Amino acid sequence: MAKSKYEYVKHFEQDDRLLPGCWLVVRLDGRGFHRFSSLHGFTKPNDLRALQLANRCAETVMKDVQDAILAYGESDEYSFVLDRKTRLFGRRESKITTTVCSLFSAAYVLYWPEFFPETPLQYPPSFDARAVCYPTSRILRDYLSWRQADCHINNLYNTCFWTLVQQGGMPEKEAEETLRGTFSADKNELLFSRFGINYAHLPAIFRKGTTLVWEEVEIPVTTPSGESALRRKKAVRALDVDIIGDQFWHDRPWLLGEDTPLPPAGTEDAKSDTPL
Amino acid sequence: MAKSKYEYVKHFEQDDRLLPGCWLVVRLDGRGFHRFSSLHGFTKPNDLRALQLANRCAETVMKDVQDAILAYGESDEYSFVLDRKTRLFGRRESKITTTVCSLFSAAYVLYWPEFFPETPLQYPPSFDARAVCYPTSRILRDYLSWRQADCHINNLYNTCFWTLVQQGGMPEKEAEETLRGTFSADKNELLFSRFGINYAHLPAIFRKGTTLVWEEVEIPVTTPSGESALRRKKAVRALDVDIIGDQFWHDRPWLLGEDTPLPPAGTEDAKSDTPL
Amino acid sequence: MAKSKYEYVKHFEQDDRLLPGCWLVVRLDGRGFHRFSSLHGFTKPNDLRALQLANRCAETVMKDVQDAILAYGESDEYSFVLDRKTRLFGRRESKITTTVCSLFSAAYVLYWPEFFPETPLQYPPSFDARAVCYPTSRILRDYLSWRQADCHINNLYNTCFWTLVQQGGMPEKEAEETLRGTFSADKNELLFSRFGINYAHLPAIFRKGTTLVWEEVEIPVTTPSGESALRRKKAVRALDVDIIGDQFWHDRPWLLGEDTPLPPAGTEDAKSDTPL
Amino acid sequence: MAKSKYEYVKHFEQDDRLLPGCWLVVRLDGRGFHRFSSLHGFTKPNDLRALQLANRCAETVMKDVQDAILAYGESDEYSFVLDRKTRLFGRRESKITTTVCSLFSAAYVLYWPEFFPETPLQYPPSFDARAVCYPTSRILRDYLSWRQADCHINNLYNTCFWTLVQQGGMPEKEAEETLRGTFSADKNELLFSRFGINYAHLPAIFRKGTTLVWEEVEIPVTTPSGESALRRKKAVRALDVDIIGDQFWHDRPWLLGEDTPLPPAGTEDAKSDTPL
C-alpha cells in the first residue's frame, strides 16, 4: 500500500495565486435561481425575506473570512471585497472562491428556516463564484458602481413589469412588450401616472442593494462593579445607501486606505483590452 | 445611472478554461473538520453517519453535475472525476469548482438531520475545492490510488490510536508515542495481539472509502395493464471496494473508455517536475 | 542601497509551469515576414534558401534545447515538440518559449550570410512563439497533421497564384479572382492543363515542409591504431516526407513511445470546448 | 487533405492575457553569458562595448514595440516597461515576451560587428524573458529600484574582485575570500586605500546601468526655401542616472502619469504573499 508510488500526482496541481497588490473581488451568483425562487414562492419583484437571508449569509462570510472589508449584494448575487494586502490562503484562487462559496451556501440552508419558517427547502440551492483582481481603488469602485447600477436598472424594470402584471392585470408577455425600449424616465413616469407609485419612495434595500461594512459599535455592558458602561466592538453593519458617489467613501477613508482624491469614475477604462 | 460607463471592469475577469482532453478531478476537503467533528460528537475513529451523509451529498453532486463519471470519498474529503471530454461550463475552472463545492455544502446542511437527528448543527460547515487536470487514464488511476492508499494508511493509524485510547485506557499522548515509527504490519499485530481485532474484518467502508459509480439497475414497476415488470434505469451506486488493482476497472471498461491495457501503476511519474 | 527593501517585487512573478505529462509544442511564426521577404528579395512562391536557413536555425534549437524530439517547419513557421516527460526549465512556459524563440532568431541572423551571401540584412527579423500542451499522442499527431495540411493547402494555392502571375502574365488581382472558390482538384488541373506542371512532381520540401528528427548515423573514423571504423552518433536529420499517415510513426516507434495502435485521426476532437 | 479535421487542436491554446490596468515589465536575461563573455573576450568587470551593444538592441525594441515607455539595462539583462494601458498584442503574454526577446536577440547578432569588429561570433547568443504585472506606480518604481540596486551591488563587488585580481595580482579564489562578508563601506575603502580608486568616480554607466526614455529632441533641418531650422522629434535617449530617488520621476511626470505624490518606497510590500 505504498502511497509514495502515487504521490507524484500532486505535481499536476497548478499554482493559482492571484496577483499581489490587487484588490480581490469574489462574486457569487445563484445557480438556477429563477426556478428556485418560483418553487419556493418568492415574492415578486423583490422578496425581502430572501434578501435578508442573503445578507445573513454574507455576514457569516464577512465574520469568518479574514480581510473581507466590504460586501455588496443584490438579487441573488453577492460580491465580497478582500483587502489588497490580504494573505488569505496565500491568495490561492481556488481556496478563496470555494471557501467563500461553500460557507455562503451552507449558511443559506442553515438559516433558511429563520427567514422562510413556513417553506421547507425542496432541494439544496447552489451558487457559483469567481475571483477578479482589481489593480487600483478607482477600478474597484467602478466595479461596485457597476453592480449597484445593475441593481437599479434591473429593479426599476422588474418593479414596472410586476406592477403591470400584479396591479394592472396585464399578461406577462404584454408587460414585456410595453416596457421594450423604454428609458428610466419612461418607467418612473409609468409607475407614477398609472399606479401612483413614486419609485424613489420604494424601500432603499430594493433600489440600492445591501452594502456590508465593518463598523465600531458601542455595546452596553455591566461592569464587574455593577455599573452600566459602553464597550466598543467591531460589528458588521448593513447599509442600503448609494456607493457610486463619493460620499460613502469619503466618510470611510479607511476602506480604501487612500488619502488622495481618486480620478473620476470610468477613467481607468480598459476598453483597449476588449478582444479584437 | 449609466451602467455602460462601468462595464469595462468585466475585462478584468480572466479566462480560466481547463486544458481540453484531460480528465478533470475536483477534490473537496472539509475546512476545520477537526473542530467541527468534535463539537458535533462524531464517533472516533470513524463516524458511519458522517460518512453516509457525505456519500449522500456526493450522490447529489453526481446527479446534478453532468459528466461526473465517478466519485471517491474518505474521511472529510471527496473527489469527483469528470469525463475527459466534458464541456461542463465550458471547462471554466471557477464555475466547476465552486458549483460542485456549493452543492455539496448545501446538501450537507440540508441532509444533516437525516443522519444526525439528535444533533443540531451549531454553525455552517464549509469545504474548499480544487480542480486538477490529468492527461492520461494511467495518471488518473494513480490519483485515485493515491487517495485510497491515503484512506488505508490513515484509517489503520486512527484505528490503532483510538483503540489504545478507548479500549486500552491509554492517554492520547502515550498512544501517539506508541505508534510512532511503526509499520503497517506492526499496527495489524498490535490490534490483533492486544485487542483481538482483525483489521481486515473491520467494515470495508472504513478501510476502502466509498466509490460512487453510475450503474444500470432494474426497478420493479407495474405496467398499465397491471402486470409486474422490470425497468432498467441509471442509478448512482456506492461501493466499498478496492480501486487500486485492475479488477474494478477491468469490470467497468466504459469508465475510462480504454480497450488497451494501461502501463503499470506509477510509470507516468512526473517527479521530473518537482520544483528544483 | 538596501536591495532587500525592494525585493518584495519578486513575489509578483507568477508561476507558469506547464501541465506535467503532456507533450509540449512550441510554435514560432515570423513577424511581418510578408514585408521582410519582399524587402530581401525572396523567390515566390517558395525560396529554397529561406527554407534551408530556417531548417539550419531549427537544427540549432534541436541541438541546444534538451528533449526536443522532433521539429516541423513550413513557410516562416516552425514547431518544436518537447518530450512529454521533459523537465526543461522546470516546464516554465516563459523560459521555454523565449529561449527557443531567442535562439532561433539569433541563429537566423548569424547564419543568414551563408544562405543569402549577396543580400545584406536590412533590419533584425523577429519571430513570436507560443507553447501548447497536448495530453495524448493522438492529439499531438493531429497537431502535426494540421500544420502539414496547412503547408499543402497554402503551397498549392501559392504555386497556382504565382504561376498565373509569373508564367501567365496575369495581374495579381486577377490571379486571386481566378483561384477564388476553387478546390484542390481544380488547382492541380489548372497547373497541368495551362502550364504543364505536375504538382506532385514539385520538390517535396515545398509540398511537405521539413521534419527534423534525431537519427543515429555512422561516421567513418580512424581508430588510434590507424584502422578505419564506423562510429554511431546521434544527428539531426531533415526529411521532406508525409507525417500525416501512419508510416512515418510506425517506422519510428521511439518518438511517441507508444506500442499500442492509436485511435484514428481526429477522434479526440475537442470541439466541445469551442467557446459558446 | 482535410485541414478542418485537425483544426480542433487549436482549442488547446490557452488564453494568456495579462491583467488590464497593470504596468507590464518584460525582463530579458542573457543565457549562459558567463561562458559567452569569456569566449568572446569581454573586458572584466565591465565591457563597455557589450553594454553599448545591449543599449543599441534595447533601442531597437523601444522603437519597434509600441507602448514601451522606459527600459533599464545592466550587465546582461534588460527590463522593458510597457504602459499600463498598453493594448500590445491584446496583452497576450507569450506574444509580448517572445517578440521582445526575439527582436533583442536578432539585433544583438546583427549589430555585433559594429561593437566587436575584431571578434567574430562563435555561436548564436540567446536570452530568456518573462513578463510581470505591477498594479501600482509605486511598485513599478520599486521594481526598477530593485534592479538598479542590484546593478550597484554587483558592480561594486565585481570592481573590487577584478581589481584585486588584475591590479593586485591576487588569485581569484583569494580575492573571493577577501571580499566575503564585507559591506559596501569596506569595499569602497579597499578600492581607495589599496588602489587609489574612488568608486564614485568610475563611469556612471557601470554604476547606474542605462535607462532609456523617449525624449523630444530638436533636429537641424533645411527648409524647402533653403533656410536652417529646428524640427522637434521623439527620440530614444540613454541616461546613466539614478532612478531610485524621486528626482528622475519628478522631472518626467508623463512617465507614470501621476500628479499626486507616491507613498514612500517599499511601502507596498507584498511580503504577505511569501509562500508559507
Side-chain angles (χ1 to χ4, degrees):
Chain A
M1 201 58 91
K3 189 169 136 194
S4 58
K5 182 163 98 182
Y6 305 119
E7 272 192 294
Y8 78 91
V9 298
K10 283 179 71 171
H11 295 302
F12 290 77
E13 297 177 6
Q14 297 195 285
D15 186 336
D16 65 347
R17 272 175 288 173
L18 295 163
L19 192 66
C22 294
W23 297 101
L24 305 185
V25 171
V26 179
R27 182 171 76 247
L28 269 78
D29 282 284
R31 185 170 158 255
F33 257 57
H34 192 76
R35 174 178 167 237
F36 180 82
S37 59
S38 294
L39 206 57
H40 292 86
F42 282 22
T43 307
K44 297 291 181 186
N46 290 289
D47 189 304
L48 189 59
R49 301 163 301 173
L51 295 176
Q52 286 172 336
L53 169 57
N55 292 348
R56 178 78 181 81
C57 299
E59 188 194 351
T60 303
V61 172
M62 290 278 280
K63 285 179 170 165
D64 189 310
V65 170
Q66 74 188 52
D67 298 327
I69 62 155
L70 181 147
Y72 175 76
E74 53 132 345
S75 182
D76 62 348
E77 73 166 56
Y78 235 103
S79 297
F80 296 89
V81 178
L82 305 189
D83 192 274
R84 61 194 308 160
K85 289 181 194 290
T86 188
R87 57 190 301 173
L88 179 66
F89 303 132
R91 295 178 85 92
R92 279 175 293 157
E93 183 171 10
S94 291
K95 284 284 257 183
I96 292 173
T97 53
T98 57
T99 299
V100 167
C101 194
S102 172
L103 201 48
F104 193 96
S105 307
Y108 202 91
V109 178
L110 187 60
Y111 303 132
W112 173 270
E114 294 178 23
F115 298 87
F116 290 89
E118 318 288 323
T119 316
L121 266 179
Q122 301 195 31
Y123 62 86
S126 60
F127 298 82
D128 63 46
R130 73 178 65 217
V132 192
C133 291
Y134 288 113
T136 70
S137 301
R138 176 71 265 165
I139 308 178
L140 173 67
R141 275 193 52 190
D142 286 351
Y143 169 80
L144 292 165
S145 296
W146 177 50
R147 300 324 303 147
Q148 194 168 51
D150 182 81
C151 173
H152 167 74
I153 290 164
N154 290 338
N155 188 60
L156 179 55
Y157 180 91
N158 291 336
T159 301
C160 289
F161 179 86
W162 289 106
T163 304
L164 287 169
V165 171
Q166 292 164 353
Q167 300 186 28
M170 197 180 272
E172 297 195 5
K173 194 133 207 154
E174 200 183 322
E176 210 180 308
E177 276 155 25
T178 303
L179 294 171
R180 188 168 297 145
T182 58
F183 293 100
S184 288
D186 305 325
K187 296 196 189 75
N188 277 300
E189 174 63 18
L190 179 152
L191 286 173
F192 192 70
S193 62
R194 291 172 63 172
F195 302 98
I197 295 171
N198 184 333
Y199 180 75
H201 293 172
L202 293 181
I205 188 177
F206 298 161
R207 293 179 293 110
K208 300 292 180 193
T210 300
T211 303
L212 300 185
V213 286
W214 285 102
E215 295 208 341
E216 281 211 332
V217 291
E218 295 189 324
I219 315 233
V221 289
T222 308
T223 64
S225 54
E227 286 159 32
S228 290
L230 292 172
R231 211 183 56 201
R232 321 204 90 213
K233 210 189 120 180
K234 282 188 76 183
V236 171
R237 191 161 158 219
L239 307 167
D240 48 17
V241 301
D242 175 79
I243 59 172
I244 296 179
D246 290 331
Q247 193 63 47
F248 174 85
W249 304 97
H250 182 79
D251 293 347
R252 295 166 183 81
W254 58 85
L255 283 176
L256 302 181
E258 307 277 337
D259 36 17
T260 53
L262 294 176
T267 48
E268 308 219 3
D269 194 328
K271 63 174 162 293
S272 56
D273 296 285
T274 313
L276 303 180
Chain B
M1 200 59 91
K3 188 169 135 195
S4 58
K5 182 164 97 183
Y6 305 119
E7 271 191 294
Y8 78 91
V9 300
K10 283 179 71 170
H11 295 302
F12 290 76
E13 297 176 6
Q14 298 196 284
D15 185 335
D16 65 347
R17 271 174 288 172
L18 295 164
L19 190 67
C22 294
W23 297 101
L24 305 184
V25 170
V26 178
R27 183 172 74 248
L28 269 79
D29 282 285
R31 185 171 157 256
F33 258 56
H34 192 77
R35 174 179 166 236
F36 180 81
S37 58
S38 292
L39 207 58
H40 292 85
F42 281 23
T43 306
K44 297 291 180 187
N46 291 289
D47 189 304
L48 189 59
R49 301 163 300 173
L51 295 177
Q52 286 171 336
L53 169 56
N55 292 348
R56 179 76 180 82
C57 299
E59 188 193 352
T60 304
V61 172
M62 290 278 280
K63 285 179 171 165
D64 190 310
V65 170
Q66 74 189 54
D67 298 327
I69 61 154
L70 180 147
Y72 175 76
E74 52 132 345
S75 183
D76 62 349
E77 73 166 56
Y78 235 104
S79 297
F80 297 89
V81 179
L82 305 188
D83 193 274
R84 62 194 308 160
K85 289 181 193 290
T86 187
R87 54 191 302 172
L88 179 67
F89 303 132
R91 294 177 85 93
R92 278 175 292 157
E93 183 171 8
S94 291
K95 285 283 257 184
I96 292 173
T97 53
T98 58
T99 300
V100 167
C101 194
S102 172
L103 200 49
F104 193 96
S105 306
Y108 202 91
V109 178
L110 187 61
Y111 302 133
W112 173 270
E114 293 178 23
F115 297 87
F116 291 88
E118 317 288 323
T119 316
L121 264 179
Q122 301 197 31
Y123 62 86
S126 60
F127 298 82
D128 62 46
R130 72 179 64 216
V132 191
C133 292
Y134 288 112
T136 69
S137 301
R138 176 71 264 167
I139 308 178
L140 173 67
R141 275 193 51 190
D142 285 351
Y143 169 80
L144 292 165
S145 297
W146 178 50
R147 300 324 302 147
Q148 194 170 51
D150 182 82
C151 173
H152 166 73
I153 290 164
N154 291 337
N155 189 60
L156 179 55
Y157 180 91
N158 291 336
T159 301
C160 289
F161 179 87
W162 288 106
T163 304
L164 286 170
V165 171
Q166 293 165 351
Q167 300 186 28
M170 199 180 270
E172 296 196 5
K173 195 134 205 151
E174 200 182 323
E176 210 180 309
E177 276 156 25
T178 302
L179 293 172
R180 186 167 300 143
T182 57
F183 293 100
S184 288
D186 306 323
K187 296 196 190 76
N188 277 300
E189 173 64 17
L190 180 152
L191 287 173
F192 193 70
S193 61
R194 290 173 64 170
F195 302 98
I197 296 171
N198 186 333
Y199 180 75
H201 293 172
L202 295 181
I205 188 176
F206 298 161
R207 292 179 295 110
K208 300 292 181 192
T210 300
T211 302
L212 301 184
V213 287
W214 286 102
E215 296 207 342
E216 281 211 332
V217 290
E218 295 191 323
I219 314 235
V221 290
T222 308
T223 64
S225 54
E227 286 159 32
S228 289
L230 291 171
R231 212 182 56 202
R232 320 205 90 214
K233 210 189 121 180
K234 279 188 79 183
V236 171
R237 189 159 160 223
L239 307 168
D240 47 17
V241 299
D242 175 79
I243 60 173
I244 297 179
D246 290 332
Q247 193 63 47
F248 174 84
W249 303 98
H250 182 79
D251 292 347
R252 295 166 183 82
W254 57 85
L255 284 175
L256 303 180
E258 308 277 337
D259 36 17
T260 52
L262 295 176
T267 48
E268 308 220 1
D269 193 330
K271 64 173 163 293
S272 57
D273 296 283
T274 314
L276 303 179
Chain C
M1 201 58 91
K3 189 170 137 194
S4 58
K5 182 163 98 182
Y6 304 120
E7 271 192 294
Y8 77 91
V9 299
K10 283 179 71 170
H11 295 301
F12 290 77
E13 297 176 8
Q14 297 195 284
D15 186 335
D16 65 348
R17 271 174 289 171
L18 295 163
L19 191 66
C22 294
W23 297 101
L24 305 185
V25 170
V26 179
R27 182 172 74 248
L28 269 77
D29 282 284
R31 186 171 158 254
F33 257 57
H34 192 77
R35 176 180 165 235
F36 180 81
S37 59
S38 293
L39 207 57
H40 293 86
F42 282 23
T43 306
K44 297 291 180 184
N46 291 289
D47 189 304
L48 189 59
R49 300 164 302 173
L51 295 177
Q52 286 172 335
L53 169 56
N55 292 347
R56 179 76 180 82
C57 298
E59 187 194 353
T60 303
V61 171
M62 291 277 281
K63 286 179 170 166
D64 190 309
V65 170
Q66 74 188 53
D67 297 327
I69 61 154
L70 180 148
Y72 175 75
E74 53 131 346
S75 182
D76 62 348
E77 73 167 56
Y78 235 103
S79 297
F80 297 89
V81 178
L82 305 189
D83 192 274
R84 62 194 307 161
K85 290 181 193 290
T86 188
R87 56 190 302 172
L88 180 66
F89 303 133
R91 294 178 84 94
R92 278 175 292 158
E93 183 171 8
S94 291
K95 285 283 257 184
I96 292 173
T97 52
T98 58
T99 299
V100 167
C101 194
S102 172
L103 200 49
F104 193 95
S105 306
Y108 202 90
V109 179
L110 187 61
Y111 303 132
W112 173 269
E114 294 179 22
F115 297 88
F116 290 88
E118 316 288 324
T119 317
L121 266 178
Q122 301 197 31
Y123 62 86
S126 60
F127 298 81
D128 62 46
R130 73 178 63 217
V132 191
C133 292
Y134 289 113
T136 69
S137 301
R138 176 70 265 166
I139 308 178
L140 173 67
R141 276 193 51 190
D142 285 351
Y143 169 81
L144 292 165
S145 297
W146 177 49
R147 301 321 303 147
Q148 194 169 52
D150 182 81
C151 172
H152 167 73
I153 289 163
N154 290 338
N155 188 61
L156 179 56
Y157 180 91
N158 291 336
T159 301
C160 288
F161 179 86
W162 289 106
T163 304
L164 286 169
V165 171
Q166 291 165 353
Q167 300 187 29
M170 198 180 270
E172 298 196 3
K173 195 134 206 152
E174 201 183 322
E176 209 180 309
E177 276 155 25
T178 302
L179 294 171
R180 186 168 299 145
T182 58
F183 294 100
S184 288
D186 305 323
K187 295 196 191 75
N188 276 300
E189 173 64 17
L190 179 151
L191 286 172
F192 192 70
S193 63
R194 290 174 64 171
F195 303 98
I197 295 172
N198 186 334
Y199 180 75
H201 293 172
L202 293 181
I205 188 176
F206 298 161
R207 292 179 294 111
K208 299 292 180 194
T210 299
T211 302
L212 301 185
V213 287
W214 286 102
E215 296 208 340
E216 280 210 334
V217 289
E218 294 189 325
I219 314 235
V221 289
T222 307
T223 64
S225 54
E227 285 160 32
S228 290
L230 291 172
R231 212 182 56 203
R232 320 202 92 215
K233 210 190 122 181
K234 282 187 76 184
V236 173
R237 190 159 159 222
L239 306 168
D240 48 17
V241 300
D242 175 78
I243 59 172
I244 296 179
D246 290 331
Q247 192 64 46
F248 173 84
W249 304 97
H250 183 78
D251 293 347
R252 295 167 184 80
W254 57 85
L255 284 176
L256 302 180
E258 308 276 337
D259 36 17
T260 53
L262 295 175
T267 48
E268 309 220 1
D269 193 330
K271 64 173 162 292
S272 56
D273 296 284
T274 313
L276 304 178
Chain D
M1 201 59 89
K3 188 168 135 194
S4 59
K5 182 164 97 182
Y6 305 119
E7 271 191 294
Y8 78 91
V9 299
K10 283 180 72 170
H11 294 302
F12 290 77
E13 297 177 7
Q14 298 196 284
D15 186 335
D16 65 347
R17 271 175 289 172
L18 295 163
L19 191 67
C22 294
W23 297 100
L24 305 185
V25 170
V26 178
R27 183 172 74 248
L28 269 78
D29 282 284
R31 184 170 158 255
F33 258 56
H34 192 76
R35 176 180 166 235
F36 180 80
S37 59
S38 293
L39 206 57
H40 292 87
F42 281 23
T43 306
K44 297 290 179 187
N46 290 289
D47 189 304
L48 189 59
R49 301 164 300 173
L51 295 176
Q52 287 172 335
L53 168 56
N55 292 348
R56 180 76 181 81
C57 298
E59 188 193 353
T60 303
V61 171
M62 291 278 280
K63 285 179 170 166
D64 189 309
V65 170
Q66 75 188 50
D67 298 327
I69 62 154
L70 180 146
Y72 175 75
E74 52 130 348
S75 182
D76 62 348
E77 73 166 56
Y78 235 104
S79 297
F80 296 89
V81 179
L82 305 189
D83 193 274
R84 61 194 308 159
K85 289 181 193 291
T86 188
R87 57 191 301 172
L88 178 67
F89 302 132
R91 294 178 85 93
R92 278 175 293 156
E93 184 171 8
S94 291
K95 284 283 257 184
I96 292 174
T97 52
T98 57
T99 299
V100 167
C101 194
S102 172
L103 201 47
F104 193 94
S105 306
Y108 202 90
V109 178
L110 187 60
Y111 302 131
W112 173 269
E114 294 178 22
F115 297 88
F116 290 88
E118 317 289 323
T119 316
L121 266 178
Q122 301 196 31
Y123 62 85
S126 60
F127 298 82
D128 62 47
R130 72 178 64 215
V132 191
C133 291
Y134 288 112
T136 70
S137 301
R138 176 70 266 168
I139 308 178
L140 173 66
R141 275 193 52 190
D142 285 351
Y143 169 81
L144 292 166
S145 297
W146 177 50
R147 301 323 302 147
Q148 195 170 50
D150 181 81
C151 173
H152 166 73
I153 289 163
N154 290 337
N155 188 60
L156 179 55
Y157 180 90
N158 291 336
T159 301
C160 289
F161 179 86
W162 289 105
T163 304
L164 285 170
V165 171
Q166 292 164 353
Q167 300 186 28
M170 199 179 270
E172 297 196 5
K173 195 134 206 153
E174 199 183 322
E176 209 180 308
E177 276 155 25
T178 303
L179 294 171
R180 186 168 298 143
T182 58
F183 293 99
S184 288
D186 305 323
K187 295 196 192 74
N188 276 299
E189 174 63 18
L190 179 152
L191 287 173
F192 192 68
S193 62
R194 290 174 63 172
F195 303 98
I197 295 171
N198 186 332
Y199 180 75
H201 293 172
L202 294 181
I205 188 176
F206 297 162
R207 292 179 294 112
K208 300 292 181 193
T210 299
T211 302
L212 300 185
V213 287
W214 286 102
E215 296 209 342
E216 281 210 333
V217 291
E218 295 190 324
I219 313 236
V221 289
T222 307
T223 64
S225 54
E227 285 160 32
S228 289
L230 291 172
R231 212 183 56 202
R232 320 203 91 214
K233 210 190 120 178
K234 280 188 78 183
V236 172
R237 190 161 158 218
L239 306 167
D240 48 17
V241 301
D242 175 80
I243 60 173
I244 296 179
D246 290 332
Q247 194 62 47
F248 174 84
W249 304 97
H250 183 79
D251 293 348
R252 295 168 183 80
W254 58 86
L255 283 176
L256 302 181
E258 307 277 336
D259 35 17
T260 53
L262 294 176
T267 49
E268 308 220 2
D269 194 329
K271 62 174 164 292
S272 56
D273 295 284
T274 313
L276 303 179

